[in-house]
Amino acid sequence: MWRVEEIDRRIVTLLAGDGRMSFTDLARETGLSVSAVHQRVRRLEKRGVLRGYTSLVDYEAIGLPMTAFISIKPIDPSAPDDAPERLAHLTAIEACHSVAGDESYILKVRVSSPGGLEELLQQIRAAANVSTRTTVVLSTPYEHRFPALDEAEGSETLDQP
Amino acid sequence: MWRVEEIDRRIVTLLAGDGRMSFTDLARETGLSVSAVHQRVRRLEKRGVLRGYTSLVDYEAIGLPMTAFISIKPIDPSAPDDAPERLAHLTAIEACHSVAGDESYILKVRVSSPGGLEELLQQIRAAANVSTRTTVVLSTPYEHRFPALDEAEGSETLDQP
DNA sequence: AGTGAAAACTAGGCGAG
DNA sequence: CTCGCCTAGTTTTCACT
């Protein structure tokens, strides 16, 4: 009697929790056959609901112990705003969000040291002609959590053929 | 002649790019045997360098099209600061970073609508006794990128037996 | 959409260099 | 640390419902 979509949400949630979970395990958890889950996962991938898989990495262990948020604002507000493309080559930038508010973008960056952050800030200012405001992360109580999906959410979009 | 560590960095980078890559493929990409890669991956997992695997999800497709950053500040600065624990039950909060600066934490949240954001803000203020400052994300040019790891970074920490 | 079974491929353990 | 072999288990396709 529950909507079919329940199962897709369950699959997405399970894979968010363990991106390497086998189809066999997904099948057991969802009560479907292996081939049915397989088919659903492939369909979710094709539709872009599942956009890929990644490992969660300890940035401290790979020599990038420092995280910061950098808000940027164009120095010349009349110039075309192509900051994301201009900054894309800086691999220390993990994410770039266009935001409402005083500044135009928020960047999340990972660097090895204060010196590395200073250097990155100079590169950002030079590459995109922006002023910056930096907020250094001291610790991260949690990250990469996945929300509980209830039937109110996603039903319309996930339910299309 | 190159440091052995080169290979571990390569493995981490490959798994960051495709968290479901098979050991067979990892072996081919790194030039090692399957069992050698297998052993290295298990070691990286045990050391906590690889902390897990997850799927990348299109939040719009699952009915959570709205992302925001919420900075919070305690209303009573003399009270013990246990905001992360007090907020942990709110699954709309994807990440919680303790930060330097005017505010004490930055939260990243996913909601279904402005109404959902409003409700979440009330819950946050009530649960942690904080004031909030919200920055709504308009679009995300990129996210979840993984930095290029060069030999300068990570060598010390990754190189230990 | 779902199922079960066959074929191809992968994971994970073992002994050896 | 690395290799290659081996078996159990997983992925993927297919014909059928």
Side-chain angles (χ1 to χ4, degrees):
Chain A
M1 193 53 191
W2 15 260
R3 344 182 31 126
V4 179
E5 271 328 304
E6 169 70 20
I7 296 179
D8 280 334
R9 282 201 298 277
R10 182 127 184 76
I11 291 175
V12 169
T13 302
L14 286 164
L15 284 173
D18 176 7
R20 284 184 81 97
M21 183 175 282
S22 71
F23 290 100
T24 311
D25 287 345
L26 286 172
R28 188 159 20 73
E29 296 284 341
T30 54
L32 292 185
S33 70
V34 173
S35 21
V37 197
H38 187 265
Q39 194 176 338
R40 277 170 181 265
V41 170
R42 291 292 174 253
R43 197 181 48 206
L44 289 167
E45 288 172 350
K46 204 171 117 204
R47 285 186 187 162
V49 180
L50 290 169
R51 309 200 318 182
Y53 306 89
T54 188
S55 54
L56 299 176
V57 173
D58 180 346
Y59 282 88
E60 202 162 325
I62 59 172
L64 298 169
M66 201 170 176
T67 302
F69 290 98
I70 303 177
S71 302
I72 66 176
K73 185 156 52 169
I75 288 182
D76 174 5
S78 68
D81 183 0
D82 51 358
E85 304 93 89
R86 287 177 175 278
L87 298 174
H89 67 102
L90 298 170
T91 67
I93 303 176
E94 183 178 304
C96 171
H97 303 274
S98 166
V99 293
D102 197 35
E103 282 119 348
S104 49
Y105 295 95
I106 292 181
L107 312 176
K108 183 180 182 190
V109 306
R110 307 274 188 180
V111 291
S112 60
S113 62
L117 181 56
E118 182 176 27
E119 192 187 336
L120 178 63
L121 284 165
Q122 290 167 356
Q123 292 175 313
I124 289 172
R125 289 193 278 252
N129 194 37
V130 291
S131 64
T132 62
R133 184 174 62 87
T134 303
T135 303
V136 172
V137 171
L138 303 172
S139 70
T140 297
Y142 37 85
E143 199 177 11
H144 307 303
R145 303 203 316 175
F146 190 74
L149 303 180
D150 53 67
E151 58 260 43
E153 299 159 336
S155 1
E156 337 79 32
T157 35
L158 238 82
D159 214 350
Q160 68 206 347
Chain B
M1 192 53 193
W2 14 261
R3 343 184 31 128
V4 179
E5 271 328 304
E6 168 71 20
I7 295 179
D8 280 335
R9 281 200 299 275
R10 183 129 182 75
I11 291 174
V12 169
T13 302
L14 285 164
L15 284 173
D18 176 6
R20 283 186 83 99
M21 184 174 281
S22 71
F23 291 97
T24 309
D25 287 345
L26 286 172
R28 186 156 20 72
E29 296 284 341
T30 54
L32 294 184
S33 72
V34 173
S35 24
V37 197
H38 188 268
Q39 195 174 331
R40 278 171 181 266
V41 170
R42 289 295 172 254
R43 197 180 49 205
L44 289 167
E45 287 173 347
K46 204 171 117 204
R47 284 186 188 161
V49 180
L50 290 170
R51 309 199 319 184
Y53 305 88
T54 188
S55 53
L56 299 176
V57 174
D58 180 346
Y59 282 87
E60 203 163 325
I62 60 172
L64 298 168
M66 203 172 174
T67 303
F69 290 98
I70 303 176
S71 302
I72 65 174
K73 184 156 52 170
I75 287 181
D76 174 5
S78 67
D81 182 0
D82 51 358
E85 303 93 89
R86 287 177 175 279
L87 298 174
H89 67 103
L90 298 170
T91 68
I93 302 176
E94 182 179 305
C96 171
H97 303 274
S98 166
V99 293
D102 196 34
E103 281 119 349
S104 51
Y105 296 94
I106 292 181
L107 313 176
K108 183 182 182 188
V109 307
R110 308 274 189 180
V111 293
S112 58
S113 63
L117 180 57
E118 180 176 28
E119 191 188 335
L120 178 64
L121 283 165
Q122 290 167 356
Q123 291 175 313
I124 289 172
R125 289 192 279 252
N129 194 36
V130 291
S131 64
T132 61
R133 183 174 64 87
T134 303
T135 303
V136 172
V137 172
L138 304 173
S139 71
T140 297
Y142 36 86
E143 198 176 11
H144 307 304
R145 304 203 314 175
F146 189 75
L149 303 179
D150 52 67
E151 58 258 43
E153 299 161 335
S155 2
E156 337 78 33
T157 32
L158 233 68
D159 214 350
Q160 68 207 346

